[in-house]
Amino acid sequence: MADRATGAVAAATEGAVPPERALLTVSGLTKHYGARIGCEDVSFDLHPGEVLAIVGESGSGKTTLLDCLAQRLAPTCGTVTYRMRDGSVRDLATLTEAERRLLARTDWGFVHQNPADGLRMTVSAGGNVGERLMAIGHRHYGAIRDTAIDWLGRVEIAADRIDDAPRAFSGGMRQRLQIARNLVTAPRLVFMDEPTGGLDVSVQARLLDLLRGLVRDMRLAAVVVTHDLAVARLLSQRIMVMKDGRVVEEGLTDRVLDDPQHPYAQLLVSSILTV
């Protein structure tokens, strides 16, 4: 009977697709500013195509965590490993500066809350998109311009604005241009720091709809920092709630927002009238 049961299990699992390996693995990540805690002992895996939202009040440590993940800050301790396109897994702390820069402009994107921080404001819209292509070796001007026009269209910017500088754009258009600049190289991982912050509600709604479609169509993995639980619900499958630099609750987004367990998470959710 035992042999028959073993055989049945083997038959049932034969041909099953194994779970995809993590793209980003974070273990015990900690950042201290002297005696002050930025983030403390954060661990998680992020898989291809998965969107993780990090939420919490101002000062909770979510932006510090994002900057450590994106290698903009050196952590005090802990590790962040990344599965490269060739399948190798690298500890990001061991990358050379040249390797880190190459990763940041090819396989990663970073969407800032203030689009001026992620754009060249004196360079045309097409030039902003084209620069990323040239960074990975594209040299044919016509092909670069055609790709820029295509991406401007994807983010709902008219082709006849390709030669306009971002300073002539509205805040929502600048944010959409920043998204095009980040995604034109087909990255596998995108970091977003309050991507809808400071925008009017109607502009936020359009931008969120755009982001959700692009993330789905390109099968992007993303880490999204936001104080807006509606943004977390719309964009993410998983959520982490942070307070005082520590993760106090994490899980599937709908579960955490509909049935929070930690008192702080309950307070955070109850303070939002419409999620």
Side-chain angles (χ1 to χ4, degrees):
M1 288 293 291
D3 290 343
R4 188 178 298 122
T6 302
V9 171
T13 57
E14 186 176 358
V17 178
E20 197 162 8
R21 290 180 296 165
L23 185 65
L24 190 75
T25 298
V26 181
S27 179
L29 191 66
T30 298
K31 175 64 177 179
H32 290 168
Y33 302 99
R36 184 170 69 84
I37 294 173
C39 61
E40 181 84 24
D41 195 25
V42 179
S43 300
F44 66 89
D45 288 340
L46 184 73
H47 291 82
E50 183 179 27
V51 179
L52 171 68
I54 305 172
V55 303
E57 61 193 2
S58 295
S60 62
K62 56 188 188 295
T63 297
T64 292
L65 174 58
L66 188 74
D67 285 341
C68 287
L69 297 178
Q71 300 298 289
R72 292 168 176 265
L73 280 177
T76 303
C77 61
T79 60
V80 182
T81 61
Y82 183 70
R83 181 160 54 83
M84 312 295 279
R85 287 185 184 265
D86 64 4
S88 64
V89 175
R90 299 285 304 276
D91 181 342
L92 295 179
T94 68
L95 297 182
T96 65
E97 185 58 31
E99 288 175 322
R100 191 174 292 113
R101 285 199 304 268
L102 180 63
L103 193 63
R105 67 175 181 253
T106 57
D107 223 28
W108 290 0
F110 196 106
V111 177
H112 298 262
Q113 177 178 356
N114 181 1
D117 294 334
L119 294 171
R120 294 272 304 280
M121 297 300 288
T122 58
V123 173
S124 70
N128 267 280
V129 178
E131 276 188 339
R132 290 274 291 193
L133 292 171
M134 289 186 286
I136 60 172
H138 291 239
R139 292 293 179 267
H140 190 281
Y141 174 80
I144 291 172
R145 189 172 176 87
D146 287 346
T147 301
I149 289 173
D150 174 60
W151 265 98
L152 291 181
R154 293 196 202 189
V155 297
E156 303 176 1
I157 297 176
D160 62 7
R161 303 297 302 271
I162 188 171
D163 294 317
D164 292 353
R167 64 180 60 176
F169 291 174
S170 67
M173 287 179 68
R174 289 180 186 179
Q175 193 63 295
R176 297 200 303 273
L177 177 59
Q178 186 188 186
I179 291 166
R181 177 181 169 93
N182 274 276
L183 300 189
V184 69
T185 57
R188 294 186 298 156
L189 174 60
V190 178
F191 303 101
M192 301 183 194
D193 186 8
E194 301 281 5
T196 62
L199 299 177
D200 292 340
V201 173
S202 61
V203 177
Q204 284 186 27
R206 286 182 60 195
L207 184 64
L208 282 171
D209 189 54
L210 172 69
L211 276 173
R212 184 165 53 175
L214 289 171
V215 166
R216 180 190 63 241
D217 295 345
M218 298 181 69
R219 201 166 177 266
L220 290 171
V223 180
V224 182
V225 159
T226 181
H227 68 279
D228 190 331
L229 300 187
V231 171
R233 189 188 288 278
L234 281 168
L235 290 182
S236 69
Q237 294 92 35
R238 276 199 303 137
I239 193 170
M240 293 197 318
V241 181
M242 293 190 71
K243 178 175 173 57
D244 298 329
R246 296 176 174 85
V247 177
V248 297
E249 186 162 353
E250 60 182 306
L252 296 176
T253 299
D254 285 343
R255 199 281 300 163
V256 172
L257 295 183
D258 292 338
D259 186 26
Q261 302 299 304
H262 190 276
Y264 174 72
Q266 293 171 353
L267 179 65
L268 194 66
V269 170
S270 66
S271 69
I272 307 299
L273 295 178
T274 304
V275 176

